[in-house]
Amino acid sequence: DQQVKQNSPSLSVQEGRISILNCDYTNSMFDYFLWYKKYPAEGPTFLISISSIKDKNEDGRFTVFLNKSAKHLSLHIVPSQPGDSAVYFCAARKTSGSRLTFGEGTQLTVNP
Amino acid sequence: DAGVTQSPTHLIKTRGQQVTLRCSPKSGHDTVSWYQQALGQGPQFIFQYYEEEERQRGNFPDRFSGHQFPNYSSELNVNALLLGDSALYLCASSLGGLGLGYTFGSGTRLTVV
């Protein structure tokens, strides 16, 4: 039962353009959503998060949008930089617990 | 300030053997969670330790067990290894058992042959 799903295994964009990474979830009990970035041979690092009571959160070049009715969230990176090339994971936390449920990840490649 | 430290970084074991992975949490953190990341998949929650007790457990068999020590470090033990146990094992530390503020280690790559 894949409760958090990232349908695009990979995404390639040009430097300076916008990168949009998508994530869908099925469990209505999720109350907090997070994005992690992972480089090879490193652990995931926290990027940005959003509470279920909000629909947008910004941090510099990164913005996360949440559409609760559609059970969909997206991460926008503007402008994209080559250093952003990594695997991006969407994760969610249930109201009652602290474990994170991750999606499968999307490999982002930003071309110079 | 040291982050989360995991050892060893790589390990090769034979089917049926037992393995122990180790994790030292980030300074100031008291909760350790373990995740398994199979190739091409996202991390999957194994269990969480807080105050030296297993507080939550994911959908993993009893072959997976753990321990937390008084200094908050933790071990993950896997018995009767299967080929399917080959994965990257990630340790994440946090404060107070919350799912926020996780800091992940770089992981232990386990290969079962």
Side-chain angles (χ1 to χ4, degrees), chain B residues 40-106:
Chain B
Q41 297 184 21
Q44 290 205 323
F45 177 78
I46 304 175
F47 42 54
Q48 181 190 77
Y49 278 84
Y50 174 61
E51 294 184 333
E52 301 181 49
E53 289 187 11
E54 183 182 294
R55 298 290 179 166
Q56 297 185 65
R57 189 178 182 92
N59 189 24
F60 280 80
D62 291 345
R63 298 187 296 108
F64 289 76
S65 63
H67 188 77
Q68 185 179 36
F69 299 94
N71 66 353
Y72 308 123
S73 66
S74 176
E75 287 181 350
L76 164 65
N77 300 293
V78 187
N79 294 322
L81 284 166
L82 303 174
L83 296 180
D85 295 331
S86 295
L88 179 67
Y89 288 85
L90 294 164
C91 170
S93 71
S94 56
L95 182 62
L98 299 177
L100 306 177
Y102 269 14
T103 299
F104 281 88
S106 298

Side-chain angles (χ1 to χ4, degrees), chain A residues 47-71:
Chain A
L47 197 55
I48 192 170
S49 62
I50 187 166
S51 164
S52 60
I53 63 173
K54 295 188 174 183
D55 55 17
K56 179 182 174 181
N57 188 27
E58 281 183 84
D59 184 2
R61 298 185 296 114
F62 304 91
T63 303
V64 56
F65 295 92
L66 175 62
N67 183 333
K68 282 185 65 178
S69 61
K71 293 190 175 66

Side-chain angles (χ1 to χ4, degrees), chain A residues 22-81:
Chain A
N22 294 303
C23 177
D24 297 295
Y25 63 95
T26 58
N27 196 322
S28 302
M29 295 298 290
F30 290 141
D31 73 338
Y32 208 87
F33 303 89
L34 307 92
W35 285 93
Y36 283 83
K37 180 169 71 173
K38 187 177 185 304
Y39 294 115
E42 294 183 13
T45 56
F46 171 74
L47 197 55
I48 192 170
S49 62
I50 187 166
S51 164
S52 60
I53 63 173
K54 295 188 174 183
D55 55 17
K56 179 182 174 181
N57 188 27
E58 281 183 84
D59 184 2
R61 298 185 296 114
F62 304 91
T63 303
V64 56
F65 295 92
L66 175 62
N67 183 333
K68 282 185 65 178
S69 61
K71 293 190 175 66
H72 176 85
L73 61 156
S74 60
L75 173 67
H76 293 211
I77 307 173
V78 181
S80 301
Q81 301 173 353

Side-chain angles (χ1 to χ4, degrees), chain A residues 32 43-44 89 98-100 102-103, chain B residues 35 37 42 48 56-57 97 99 105:
Chain A
Y32 208 87
F89 290 102
S98 67
R99 72 179 69 178
L100 296 179
F102 284 84
Chain B
Y35 288 80
Q37 186 183 4
Q48 181 190 77
Q56 297 185 65
R57 189 178 182 92

